[in-house]
Amino acid sequence: MSTLPAPNTRKFPESSQEKKAYNLVEQFAEYLPIANDRNRLGFGLYKYLEGEGDPPEVLLRSSKLKIEGITIDEFAKRLGSKLEKLI
């Protein structure tokens, strides 16, 4: 058996809401050591920016993320302040 090559993936444009949400989360990589947690949080923030998701305070508690070096409340404040700049 042989396998096919992986499909090409399109990158989001820099001006898109998706890219802004994922880039915002990458700024906090020191507090979120697991890449999948960063992806999950990025998706949650994107949904919030689109008006469909929970605010960061709720999202951080419901996503079951592994957060290191900071409390959830402090992380939510920092994330919320950065998120306000995007909106």
Side-chain angles (χ1 to χ4, degrees):
M1 277 179 44
S2 64
T3 59
L4 298 174
N8 293 333
T9 56
R10 290 184 295 147
K11 302 284 184 188
F12 292 116
E14 289 295 325
S15 61
S16 70
Q17 290 287 76
E18 294 95 341
K19 190 69 168 181
K20 290 177 183 178
Y22 284 96
N23 284 342
L24 174 66
V25 172
E26 284 301 320
Q27 293 176 10
F28 295 102
E30 65 185 278
Y31 304 123
L32 296 167
I34 301 173
N36 193 39
D37 285 350
R38 292 191 301 270
N39 287 335
R40 203 169 359 160
L41 182 57
F43 179 74
L45 289 179
Y46 163 66
K47 293 302 254 180
Y48 175 71
L49 290 172
E50 292 292 309
E52 299 176 14
D54 294 324
E57 299 81 18
V58 175
L59 186 62
L60 288 175
R61 295 187 190 282
S62 66
S63 297
K64 298 181 182 176
L65 306 171
K66 181 179 181 182
I67 300 172
E68 294 181 344
I70 193 171
T71 65
I72 290 179
D73 294 329
E74 182 63 29
F75 187 57
K77 286 180 192 176
R78 291 184 186 186
L79 187 61
S81 68
K82 294 263 185 177
L83 193 60
E84 287 297 320
K85 294 176 184 175
L86 287 182
I87 297 175

